[in-house]
Amino acid sequence: AADGFEIIGTGGSITNKCNEIFLGNNGTALRFLTALVCLGRGRYILTGEKRLLERPVGPLVSALQNMGVAISCHDNCPPVEVMANGLKGGEITLTDIESSQYVSALLLCGPYTAKGIMLTLEGNIVSAPYIDLTIRVMNDFGAKIIISGKHQYTVGTQNIYTGREYYVEGDASSASYFFLAAALAKRTIRVQGVARKSAQGDIRLLAILEKLGCRVTDGETWVEVSADHDLAHGDMTFDMGDMPDMVPTAGVLAAYRKGRTMITNVAHLRIKESNRLAAMVTELNRIGINASELSDGLLVEGGAPHGADISTYNDHRIAMSFAVAGLITPDIKIADKKCVDKSFPEFWQELAKL
């Protein structure tokens, strides 16, 4: 398609043209493909870079084993090896999961299992808005999901996906760096292609910006953030369990605000592309900001950041967050700029427009 992509599906019949799939450091692809390849036939190995091999996938592997899949991993981490023979489905319970993508991966495969799935979630659930987003997209493509109680999902096999034309909204995570730029540089920036009414959890960063004194206006396909004075002062606490990918953005924001900022309910950031909590503490300290790890988050004392050479840990979100700080603080230099290519290859060109 001229302004998008045309995808020819296989109706749930997964071919096996290469038994080893190398995924770099892409945790999303790892989790989604771990479930997806189970619909195929034969041997699959999912592997990647050193950091990916340190990121847990055990709860998803266990759930698939309980459905009769011959699947294994190493100490709860990749490589994942699957001897696929279709996916039976059945009843699954996940408890205290560290990634909502385990849920999305299982739900997405549900219509193509032999007998459907009934998935129950217990305990702590991170990034819950992205489960709702998964269900919305599945419904849009013709699947039927029954939600019983608070966190019980049933996916039948009567309604499989049907092709259609589909508009994919812009990525709220990528937009956040320009919302941050508006707040720090005290200017007005409009981002096209996103909407405040989005189901994406990361759009909720706008509520934090408003609490800190920014003005937010929006239309059907754009969001504009304006700031013309210093960010609100004082001690504040933000539960970011529904938007954990916004923690680097919020951590940099906190560095420029007078007062103490506590970010909570994000312990699972230790298993992202980097150990994001440790990385944020190290790099905030490097620019002269007092920051420390909590058991489930960060504590940041706002101050007057200065320039420094920033390590990115091959983590796109660390790179982009500190790059925005470089708009207003001289001599902040980002190592390994190419790591942003994972999610936002045009980032540096867009940032230069500011």
Side-chain angles (χ1 to χ4, degrees):
D3 57 350
F5 301 94
E6 185 174 52
I7 300 169
I8 307 300
T10 62
S13 176
I14 307 300
T15 59
N16 187 353
K17 294 185 177 178
C18 56
N19 74 21
E20 182 169 300
I21 304 173
F22 185 84
L23 300 170
N25 191 17
N26 191 331
T28 301
L30 170 69
R31 298 178 196 110
F32 283 11
L33 288 174
T34 293
L36 182 69
V37 299
C38 296
L39 296 174
R41 297 289 185 275
R43 182 170 180 259
Y44 297 85
I45 297 173
L46 304 178
T47 188
E49 295 174 2
K50 180 177 181 292
R51 177 60 183 171
L52 189 73
L53 304 186
E54 299 168 347
R55 300 175 68 181
V57 73
L60 179 56
V61 168
S62 295
L64 292 164
Q65 287 172 339
N66 290 338
M67 283 193 272
V69 178
I71 180 172
S72 63
C73 59
H74 300 265
D75 294 326
N76 284 322
C77 296
V80 176
E81 184 169 345
V82 184
M83 282 301 298
N85 190 31
L87 199 50
K88 293 178 183 176
E91 295 187 12
I92 317 155
T93 299
L94 294 175
T95 304
D96 291 329
I97 52 171
E98 68 264 357
S99 175
S100 65
Q101 290 173 1
Y102 298 157
V103 182
S104 295
L106 293 166
L107 291 177
L108 285 165
C109 291
Y112 295 91
T113 60
K115 57 184 180 181
I117 62 172
M118 188 171 79
L119 175 58
T120 302
L121 306 182
E122 297 178 345
N124 190 47
I125 302 164
V126 300
S127 302
Y130 291 93
I131 300 173
D132 299 334
L133 188 62
T134 300
I135 291 169
R136 178 184 293 190
V137 174
M138 289 175 68
N139 280 322
D140 288 345
F141 280 88
K144 293 290 182 286
I145 301 95
I146 298 170
I147 304 174
S148 327
K150 193 173 181 184
H151 294 300
Q152 189 173 82
Y153 310 95
T154 302
V155 185
T157 59
Q158 300 89 349
N159 301 97
I160 60 173
Y161 303 129
T162 55
R164 57 166 291 182
E165 192 168 298
Y166 198 74
Y167 170 74
V168 179
E169 65 184 354
D171 179 40
S173 312
S174 298
S176 76
Y177 305 109
F178 300 94
F179 301 153
L180 173 65
L184 297 187
K186 299 178 186 174
R187 54 187 292 189
T188 296
I189 296 176
R190 178 177 292 193
V191 180
Q192 300 284 354
V194 291
R196 184 155 196 181
K197 64 183 180 182
S198 171
Q200 297 179 64
D202 290 349
I203 204 71
R204 300 180 186 194
L205 179 73
L206 295 172
I208 292 177
L209 292 172
E210 285 180 322
K211 187 172 182 179
L212 296 181
C214 298
R215 293 186 309 280
V216 178
T217 54
D218 64 293
E220 282 295 310
T221 59
W222 57 268
V223 173
E224 186 173 276
V225 176
S226 302
D228 52 18
H229 50 75
D230 289 344
L231 296 166
H233 299 175
D235 294 350
M236 295 188 186
T237 298
F238 299 112
D239 180 337
M240 299 190 72
D242 281 347
M243 48 175 165
D245 282 345
M246 293 297 89
V247 169
T249 313
V252 169
L253 185 69
Y256 289 85
R257 191 184 72 78
K258 289 183 180 177
R260 174 182 291 185
T261 303
M262 189 178 295
I263 295 170
T264 64
N265 200 20
V266 290
H268 59 290
L269 287 184
R270 294 185 172 94
I271 57 168
K272 288 283 191 174
E273 283 84 344
S274 65
N275 178 337
R276 275 194 190 143
L277 297 181
M280 286 301 298
V281 167
T282 299
E283 301 312 310
L284 287 169
N285 291 166
R286 203 186 300 276
I287 62 172
I289 296 299
N290 185 15
S292 57
E293 282 189 59
L294 306 173
S295 62
D296 70 337
L298 288 175
L299 185 63
V300 182
E301 299 272 2
H306 57 67
D309 292 343
I310 300 298
S311 296
T312 64
Y313 311 88
N314 197 29
D315 189 328
H316 52 149
R317 302 211 184 280
I318 301 293
M320 291 187 280
S321 297
F322 281 93
V324 173
L327 292 174
I328 58 168
T329 298
D331 299 322
I332 287 183
K333 298 174 183 175
I334 309 298
D336 185 23
K337 290 185 175 182
K338 275 194 69 61
C339 69
V340 307
D341 290 355
K342 174 179 179 180
S343 64
F344 197 169
E346 303 87 10
F347 172 76
W348 299 108
Q349 296 94 295
E350 293 298 322
L351 190 69
K353 295 176 182 178
L354 303 180

